[in-house]
Amino acid sequence: GAGVSQSPRYKVAKRGQDVALRCDPISGHVSLFWYQQALGQGPEFLTYFQNEAQLDKSGLPSDRFFAERPEGSVSTLKIQRTQQEDSAVYLCASSSQVEAFFGQGTRLTVV
Amino acid sequence: SQKIEQNSEALNIQEGKTATLTCNYTNYSPAYLQWYRQDPGRGPVFLLLIRENEKEKRKERLKVTFDTTLKQSLFHITASQPADSATYLCAYVDTGRRALTFGSGTRLQVQP
């Protein structure tokens, strides 16, 4: 595709519900990143993939957060037993060199 | 640990003036700094990258400087337009990592 695509754009989850957020990166991009952005803040790193290998997951806030990229293309960020503090925009980015290309993000609201 | 800081107060300027945004870091000079633009409801969009050994980089109406003595990068938009209104983020890549570390961003509002 022409850019990074994320779905859904908006997700409302009840506290305790599991959610799955999808990222479709730019074709051929080896690197894929997930970030979390709170209102009025810059994006904060969650996890990084090089192809299908998850090389850095140091930013995942708890073991309720899990990410995968099984075939080195599409990635899914899963949040189990959502809590109110998980409410944020989740951004996916892909890159082939230095510049990162971001998707529009998924706004998650936990009620 | 390294911190990257941007002025959290919004910057309001008149159309046609030059906007100057500041990005400060606290410890070592990163190998390079990147600047991104973010509009409401959208993801960040890459604008410019400046390396540690470069003093200045230009792209159309944009100019970025990198002062390792002051531990600061300045981002300038000349002849600003209302369409330049957005949040501008600076970011760097920590040594040994691939992910970007972002500042909190500065919101620019250009008044017609």
Side-chain angles (χ1 to χ4, degrees), chain B residues 12-69:
Chain B
N12 291 288
I13 64 168
Q14 285 296 120
E15 183 175 8
K17 301 291 186 184
T18 296
T20 298
L21 288 72
T22 305
C23 177
N24 295 297
Y25 56 93
T26 55
N27 294 335
Y28 57 87
S29 289
Y32 53 86
L33 282 166
Q34 301 186 28
W35 283 87
Y36 286 78
R37 169 184 173 140
Q38 187 172 26
D39 291 282
R42 310 297 292 267
V45 174
F46 174 81
L47 296 175
L48 278 170
L49 176 152
I50 185 164
R51 300 186 189 282
E52 184 182 14
N53 61 355
E54 296 175 318
K55 296 286 187 200
E56 182 179 295
K57 201 80 164 283
R58 290 176 185 260
K59 179 182 175 183
E60 298 172 352
R61 294 184 297 111
L62 309 180
K63 184 177 85 171
V64 174
T65 62
F66 196 162
D67 189 325
T68 55
T69 303

Side-chain angles (χ1 to χ4, degrees), chain A residues 2 14 19 23 32 35 40-41 47 52 59-60 63 70 75-77 79 86 88 97 105 107 109:
Chain A
K14 290 186 178 178
V19 298
C23 172
L32 185 146
Y35 292 86
Q41 299 298 314
T47 188
E52 68 278 4
L60 295 177
D63 58 8
S75 177
T76 303
L77 176 67
I79 309 174
D86 300 335
Q97 295 181 18
R107 180 176 296 278
T109 304

Side-chain angles (χ1 to χ4, degrees), chain A residues 20 23 33 36-37 39 45 49 54 82 94:
Chain A
C23 172
F33 305 83
Q36 180 190 60
Q37 187 171 26
L39 192 63
F45 169 72
F49 289 87
Q54 189 175 20
T82 51
S94 70

Side-chain angles (χ1 to χ4, degrees), chain B residues 68-81:
Chain B
T68 55
T69 303
L70 295 178
K71 296 187 178 181
Q72 182 179 81
S73 175
L74 297 179
F75 177 82
H76 306 272
I77 306 175
T78 57
S80 59
Q81 304 165 1

Side-chain angles (χ1 to χ4, degrees), chain A residues 7-97:
Chain A
S7 61
R9 286 278 283 128
Y10 303 93
K11 176 70 179 177
V12 178
K14 290 186 178 178
R15 192 157 57 96
Q17 188 178 357
D18 296 351
V19 298
L21 313 180
R22 177 189 167 105
C23 172
D24 207 332
I26 293 172
S27 177
H29 278 190
V30 168
S31 299
L32 185 146
F33 305 83
W34 283 97
Y35 292 86
Q36 180 190 60
Q37 187 171 26
L39 192 63
Q41 299 298 314
E44 292 206 359
F45 169 72
L46 294 176
T47 188
Y48 159 60
F49 289 87
Q50 186 175 78
N51 295 307
E52 68 278 4
Q54 189 175 20
L55 298 186
D56 188 347
K57 54 182 181 179
S58 61
L60 295 177
S62 78
D63 58 8
R64 296 186 296 103
F65 287 71
F66 171 76
E68 60 183 5
R69 192 185 186 198
E71 297 178 0
S73 178
V74 170
S75 177
T76 303
L77 176 67
K78 297 179 179 178
I79 309 174
Q80 297 176 323
R81 305 182 302 281
T82 51
Q83 303 294 315
Q84 280 194 315
E85 61 263 27
D86 300 335
S87 296
V89 174
Y90 291 85
L91 293 163
C92 174
S94 70
S95 72
S96 60
Q97 295 181 18

